[in-house]
């Protein structure tokens, strides 16, 4: 895989809302916001998932689906943390975190541009969106990041699926509260990870 770091009329009657109903609605909204990680100090990590911890951020990975954290001694120097899914010796899924991966980057737009440039010629971007990550209030603009969804094909190198295998990926790029650019990726065989899990992955990030 070249796309890897493997190694948003008619008038109606007016309704009167009771105080109890308002309280319930506010509580429900708070649960939704906390669940997506957008306005929480700490992101919600789905049950059965593990967590990768780095100096700039933490992120969940689907441990219950066979992903396991890679020992520091085995991962590529460019990666601050990695979780892999291996099947019969083939890496069919990977979560990776890169820190300080680009120079002259000072905001989410710059980080996303740098990360997006590394996606590869054999890739197709599906969407680019602004996202707000979980994190402490004093993290400020560090909580603002960009998400890029894309499809690509495997190059068959470094124990990855056979050349030409359809793959899918999502990356989140930004700059932490200390000015360090980061990019977090999840790459996997296409259809092996549900869209809901990709959303949960993005929602599991807590920036520091």
């Amino acid at each position: 895989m070249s796309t890897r770091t493997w190694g948003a009329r008619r008038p109606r009657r007016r309704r009167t809302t009771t105080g109890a109903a308002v309280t319930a609605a506010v509580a429900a909204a708070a649960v939704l916001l906390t669940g997506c990680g957008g306005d929480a100090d700490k992101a919600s990590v789905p049950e059965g998932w593990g967590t990768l911890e780095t100096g700039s951020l933490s992120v969940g990975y689907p441990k219950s689906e066979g992903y396991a954290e890679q020992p520091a001694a085995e991962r590529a120097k460019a990666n601050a943390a990695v979780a892999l899914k291996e099947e019969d010796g083939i890496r069919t899924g990977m979560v990776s975190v890169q820190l300080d991966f680009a120079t002259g980057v000072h905001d989410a737009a710059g980080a996303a541009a740098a990360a997006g440039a590394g996606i590869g010629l054999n890739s197709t971007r599906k969407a680019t969106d602004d996202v707000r990550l979980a994190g402490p209030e004093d993290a400020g603009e560090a909580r603002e990041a960009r998400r890029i969804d894309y499809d690509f094909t495997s190059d068959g190198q470094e124990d990855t699926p056979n050349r030409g295998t359809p793959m899918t990926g999502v990356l989140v790029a930004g700059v932490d509260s200390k000015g360090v650019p980061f990019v977090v990726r999840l790459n996997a065989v296409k259809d092996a990870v549900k869209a809901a899990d990709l959303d949960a992955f993005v929602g599991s990030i807590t920036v520091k």
Side-chain angles (χ1 to χ4, degrees):
M1 306 172 199
S2 61
T3 307
R4 70 194 192 290
T5 47
W6 292 102
R9 55 176 156 164
R10 293 169 58 187
R12 296 186 296 178
R13 295 178 182 176
R14 176 177 295 179
R15 296 182 179 179
T16 301
T17 304
T18 65
V22 171
T23 300
V26 170
V31 169
L32 289 173
L33 287 173
T34 301
C36 72
D39 286 280
D41 287 347
K42 185 72 174 178
S44 175
V45 177
E47 183 177 355
W49 285 37
T51 303
L52 298 177
E53 294 282 353
T54 73
S56 292
L57 57 87
S58 63
V59 60
Y61 65 91
K63 186 175 182 179
S64 57
E65 297 298 322
Y67 285 73
E69 186 169 357
Q70 185 180 38
E74 297 178 11
R75 65 176 181 249
K77 292 182 179 180
N79 296 321
V82 171
L84 294 173
K85 181 175 183 179
E86 296 185 326
E87 300 176 82
D88 297 324
I90 300 299
R91 297 181 177 183
T92 57
M94 179 175 182
V95 172
S96 64
V97 181
Q98 280 188 297
L99 304 179
D100 206 13
F101 70 98
T103 59
V105 171
H106 307 291
D107 55 22
I119 287 179
L121 297 177
N122 62 336
S123 304
T124 301
R125 289 199 192 196
K126 298 191 295 181
T128 300
D129 299 291
D130 291 330
V131 294
R132 182 169 174 79
L133 305 178
E137 290 185 5
D138 60 7
E141 293 184 2
R143 295 175 60 186
E144 306 301 329
R146 284 193 177 174
R147 167 181 176 168
I148 300 175
D149 290 81
Y150 52 91
D151 288 336
F152 63 103
T153 55
S154 174
D155 59 15
Q157 299 179 15
E158 300 179 35
D159 299 324
T160 57
N162 291 334
R163 184 180 180 85
T165 299
M167 309 290 291
T168 193
V170 59
L171 69 80
V172 177
V175 177
D176 72 10
S177 59
K178 295 181 180 179
V180 177
F182 64 81
V183 58
V184 187
R185 294 182 177 87
L186 192 162
N187 292 332
V189 173
K190 192 170 179 62
D191 298 327
V193 180
K194 299 177 181 178
D197 286 336
L198 293 178
D199 290 340
F201 169 73
V202 175
S204 74
I205 301 171
T206 299
V207 70
K208 302 176 183 178

